Amino acid sequence: MRFSLSLLFVILSVLLAGVLACKDPYNPETVDYGQCASATKANYEVRSDSKVLTPADLPADELAVHESRMRHIIDIARVNNKKFVSSIYFPNGTLACIGINTGKPNMIAHGEIVAIQNCTEIHGISMYTNYSIYTTGEPCSMCASAILWSRFKTVVWSTYNSDLYCKICMSNIPIDSSYIFSRAYGLGIEAPVAIGGVVKAEGDAWFGTYCNRPTSIYYIAPKCACQDPAKVSPLKFTQTRTTVWVEGGDKVVTQWNAIISNPSNSTIVDPPIVISPSVVFKGAPWGISAASEPNTYKLSYNKVLFPGQTFSFGYSVYGLEEVAFTALEA
Ligand SMILES: *[C@@H]1O[C@H](CO)[C@@H](O)[C@H](O)[C@H]1NC(C)=O
Ligand SMILES: *[C@@H]1O[C@H](CO)[C@@H](O)[C@H](O)[C@H]1NC(C)=O
Ligand SMILES: *[C@@H]1O[C@H](CO)[C@@H](O)[C@H](O)[C@H]1NC(C)=O
Ligand SMILES: *[C@@H]1O[C@H](CO)[C@@H](O)[C@H](O)[C@H]1NC(C)=O
């Protein structure tokens, strides 16, 4: 009995040692971990942008609260003569603290970052679950990420990033905050409720314009496709990813087939097709050709689309996501 127990112990030890042993030497090319084998090329789940609510989506009483909080920070912005001011509210609706982007001590001291640090310092808050954050200008990609990491429940802004960059020539990283918020799944959390354009006219007026001030440190000549919503044609785009490959070990390229269809009753001739946000194609697209205006393409042939008719084109692009096309009225 004593012998068989010892033997069992020895056998178990050997088995366990086999299971727990380090693979030595450790080779990241062969060791598997997580859900992708180490030698595979990993890609994130493709997500479309999460929804941004506008004042029109909100009940009047809730909108009134957001408007008054937004006016409060726009007032602080005017008094301090700074563009970007942020405020944070406790879950019970009491103002917790504010943050002003003064450009000091460095370039990442944006209003939201300053407010988060400020509230943490004053109130010792480390997680902002159920808190709300307000900002005169839509969170940049850095601040949107900080808002996700901090677990805010609601984020409200007045002026959109796309307007700051495209309409008033203010330098900015051209990423909508919703692009970051839609990746909340990576932290295992829900995206915050995002509300844009609250007292937009006042916010936009406060930002003013830099387009006529090319010597300002904020000035940029923006690269944007400008669309007049009144001039968008009824043409529809249906896209299918046909091929995915990896170049140079780490650059994912996808090939897409796109079909333009004319669901309307009228014949559409030679529509300009704009791309927003702009992208760099891998090689030239086929079936459409670059026009003289930036981010604009035209059909290469068969330029007349009768009612019900379709037109196919294709392209390759870096990344996994399709390019966003809109056809304008000819
Ligand atoms: C809201 O919560 C904060 C933090 O707990 C507290 O300081 C404040 O007094 C509360 N406000 C109200 C109106 O209860
Ligand atoms: C921190 O918030 C308080 C309360 O709103 C405010 O008085 C103060 O100016 C803020 N500090 C900074 C550095 O923004
Ligand atoms: C946040 O609010 C929800 C809903 O009221 C509540 O269930 C949850 O406990 C709150 N979380 C924290 C950390 O206060
Ligand atoms: C096309 O015309 C028919 C008949 O005039 C009309 O009933 C229909 O609503 C129109 N469809 C579109 C998409 O304009």
Side-chain angles (χ1 to χ4, degrees):
M1 185 63 181
R2 173 175 287 261
F3 169 78
S4 54
L5 266 182
S6 319
L7 184 64
L8 189 62
F9 179 77
V10 170
I11 293 171
L12 275 177
S13 306
V14 169
L15 283 177
L16 266 178
V19 172
L20 298 176
C22 287
K23 286 181 181 167
D24 198 29
Y26 172 76
N27 180 353
E29 296 303 319
T30 56
V31 169
D32 286 359
Y33 43 84
Q35 299 199 329
C36 293
S38 59
T40 58
K41 168 70 188 153
N43 283 301
Y44 304 120
E45 181 184 345
V46 176
R47 292 294 271 260
S48 55
D49 293 351
S50 61
K51 185 167 169 53
V52 174
L53 301 175
T54 68
D57 298 318
L58 304 178
D61 52 346
E62 187 192 331
L63 178 59
V65 171
H66 296 317
E67 287 179 341
S68 114
R69 294 175 178 181
M70 189 58 70
R71 289 205 170 94
H72 181 58
I73 52 174
I74 293 176
D75 284 345
I76 295 173
R78 288 191 186 118
V79 167
N80 289 275
N81 196 23
K82 295 292 173 212
K83 299 298 182 191
F84 295 95
V85 176
S86 186
S87 61
I88 294 175
Y89 284 77
F90 288 113
N92 66 12
T94 298
L95 177 64
C97 80
I98 62 155
I100 304 176
N101 180 346
T102 60
K104 295 195 176 86
N106 58 33
M107 292 297 282
I108 66 169
H110 288 194
E112 298 92 317
I113 303 288
V114 174
I116 292 169
Q117 302 287 35
N118 193 14
C119 269
T120 295
E121 196 173 316
I122 299 176
H123 303 290
I125 306 160
S126 53
M127 275 294 187
Y128 288 84
T129 314
N130 291 345
Y131 285 64
S132 303
I133 187 164
Y134 291 75
T135 169
T136 51
E138 179 178 352
C140 73
S141 52
M142 171 184 73
C143 293
S145 298
I147 287 167
L148 272 193
W149 283 111
S150 302
R151 309 290 197 268
F152 279 95
K153 182 184 180 187
T154 311
V155 49
V156 185
W157 65 84
S158 180
T159 297
Y160 290 87
N161 276 336
S162 53
D163 287 348
L164 288 175
Y165 177 78
C166 294
K167 292 186 183 172
I168 75 163
C169 309
M170 191 177 199
S171 57
N172 199 347
I173 299 173
I175 293 181
D176 294 332
S177 58
S178 56
Y179 182 87
I180 304 289
F181 295 147
S182 66
R183 269 82 179 160
Y185 73 92
L187 299 181
I189 60 175
E190 294 288 316
V193 175
I195 305 166
V198 170
V199 294
K200 183 175 181 304
E202 286 168 49
D204 289 358
W206 173 241
F207 280 103
T209 184
Y210 292 88
C211 296
N212 51 5
R213 295 168 57 191
T215 54
S216 164
I217 54 160
Y218 298 119
Y219 172 80
I220 192 89
K223 297 177 181 177
C224 299
C226 305
Q227 298 168 21
D228 181 346
K231 292 187 178 157
V232 170
S233 102
L235 293 177
K236 293 263 171 291
F237 293 81
T238 312
Q239 302 197 53
T240 317
R241 191 192 294 126
T242 53
T243 321
V244 182
W245 70 94
V246 177
E247 256 184 24
D250 63 349
K251 274 192 166 171
V252 177
V253 185
T254 50
Q255 183 176 315
W256 294 80
N257 268 358
I259 297 173
I260 306 176
S261 55
N262 180 3
S264 78
N265 277 348
S266 19
T267 297
I268 295 173
V269 183
D270 202 15
I273 296 166
V274 296
I275 293 170
S276 182
S278 62
V279 296
V280 178
F281 287 112
K282 163 140 181 70
W286 48 101
I288 56 172
S289 322
S292 49
E293 301 80 22
N295 300 312
T296 306
Y297 286 75
K298 289 293 196 84
L299 305 187
S300 304
Y301 39 81
N302 298 347
K303 292 169 186 283
V304 180
L305 282 155
F306 295 107
Q309 196 180 340
T310 60
F311 179 94
S312 296
F313 69 98
Y315 61 92
S316 299
V317 70
Y318 291 106
L320 277 171
E321 298 191 46
E322 68 200 58
V323 172
F325 297 100
T326 311
L328 301 186
E329 280 187 348

